[in-house]
Amino acid sequence: MAQDGELDLFHAILDAGSFAGAARQLGVTPSAVSKRISQMEGRIGAPLFVRTTRRMTLTEAGRTYAAGTKDILARLTQVENDIAEGTGAIRGPIRMTASTALGRRKVLPIVLDFSESYPDVDIDLTLTDALVDLVEDRYDLAVRSAVLPDSSLIARRLADNRRIICASPDYVERRGAPTVPEDLSGHACLTLNVSGPFNAWRLMGDRDSPTDLGRGFSCNSLDALHAACLRGLGIARLPSFLVADDIVAGRLLALLSEAEERSDRSAISLLRPPNEVVPRRVRLLVDALVEGFRHHV
């Protein structure tokens, strides 16, 4: 068996977690997988797996082989993809994720345009406000609008994540408008009911002491807070991609603009795992996202 075929087999076993799973994935019998791995171990001169009736684990030699060949297999796959994509249509899968409101408003239109341009690329898009593990869950890309923790992920800034404190004209008429950040403690403030920095309204550049907020409607969805703000239930601090059109149309009023301008801003970022080899289809989608956010955010 050719060594590149052995690499495919070895890593298929790692991905599937068993010889039987790799056999199903490759369309061969479990005995054929076992025979080929035995031949491979004989050639290398060391066992790669410890096989028992209940589980399969890598030996020390197996762990060394896995670590040393993962990039080789990725490079072989990339060479084949580059040849295929250079002579025909761009094709293959892309798995990506984005936060719900940002994904629905900004990411999805770009992805749909990309899908129309490259119909042979199969995009699997998950919209969720949960922070997913790109490496563990095997995502190619993620678009996030939060402060990013230190990690090995490759990050590219797409746009400022400007937030705007706002309320409906009806709310301001009934309750008045805050003139300084300290006034917010006496107002109904709309917040997320999940942990994280979103509810820490650090205005006037104050990093250490978030502004005290009055209690109001709370939910785990930015779209829901947006709807509550439009209904006049309180004051919200929402991303500009959600409320900019409402402010222009007069459905919402921007409040405490001077304080907001002096506050710290996060960014909308495009993340990908630290893979040395990035398929051309993924690079093209990255370019489309960068261009799309440049013109529309």
Side-chain angles (χ1 to χ4, degrees), residues 12-28:
I13 295 170
L14 296 186
D15 291 342
S18 69
F19 283 24
R24 287 191 297 270
Q25 179 179 321
L26 297 173
V28 298

Side-chain angles (χ1 to χ4, degrees), residues 256-273:
L256 297 173
S257 298
E258 182 179 351
E260 186 64 64
E261 284 297 322
R262 294 170 60 185
S263 68
D264 296 322
R265 292 184 184 179
S266 62
I268 298 172
S269 300
L270 178 63
L271 307 178
R272 65 173 179 83

Side-chain angles (χ1 to χ4, degrees), residues 30-236:
S31 60
V33 171
S34 181
K35 180 179 179 181
R36 289 175 179 175
I37 289 297
S38 295
Q39 292 171 344
M40 189 175 171
E41 290 172 329
R43 180 175 56 80
I44 292 174
L48 299 173
F49 297 96
V50 177
R51 281 96 85 181
T52 68
T53 56
R54 292 190 174 184
R55 60 182 301 187
M56 177 208 73
T57 58
L58 286 171
T59 63
E60 183 177 351
R63 290 192 294 271
T64 301
Y65 192 85
T69 59
K70 183 177 181 181
D71 287 344
I72 294 173
L73 183 61
R75 289 191 182 97
L76 284 171
T77 302
Q78 180 63 54
V79 169
E80 292 175 355
N81 287 341
D82 284 346
I83 292 172
E85 292 174 347
T87 59
I90 305 298
R91 61 179 180 269
I94 299 177
R95 183 168 160 79
M96 67 177 299
T97 181
S99 54
T100 305
L102 176 62
R104 184 172 58 83
R105 293 294 185 99
K106 296 300 178 183
V107 176
L108 183 57
I110 298 170
V111 168
L112 294 180
D113 286 345
F114 183 88
S115 293
E116 288 184 347
S117 298
Y118 299 98
D120 293 327
V121 176
D122 303 316
I123 297 181
D124 181 346
L125 172 63
T126 298
L127 299 183
T128 176
D129 291 325
L131 290 182
V132 300
D133 188 321
L134 268 65
V135 176
E136 182 69 21
D137 296 330
R138 298 185 180 182
Y139 282 101
D140 297 297
L141 297 171
V143 180
R144 292 180 179 165
S145 58
V147 177
L148 302 177
D150 292 335
S151 72
S152 61
L153 298 176
I154 308 300
R156 181 167 183 174
R157 188 185 187 95
L158 291 175
D160 284 339
N161 184 31
R162 187 166 67 93
R163 291 174 181 163
I164 300 174
I165 297 172
C166 54
S168 71
D170 176 65
Y171 178 88
V172 171
E173 183 178 349
R174 287 186 288 108
R175 298 285 300 271
T179 57
V180 293
E182 290 74 17
D183 291 344
L184 290 170
S185 62
H187 282 269
C189 293
L190 311 179
T191 57
L192 289 178
N193 63 5
V194 295
S195 61
F198 186 85
N199 294 330
W201 297 13
R202 301 182 187 276
L203 306 176
M204 307 294 287
D206 192 339
R207 293 176 178 269
D208 299 323
S209 54
T211 302
D212 290 332
L213 305 177
R215 298 185 64 178
F217 175 78
S218 184
C219 185
N220 68 339
S221 163
L222 285 181
D223 283 323
L225 296 187
H226 179 216
C229 192
L230 288 168
R231 287 282 294 269
L233 295 185
I235 297 175

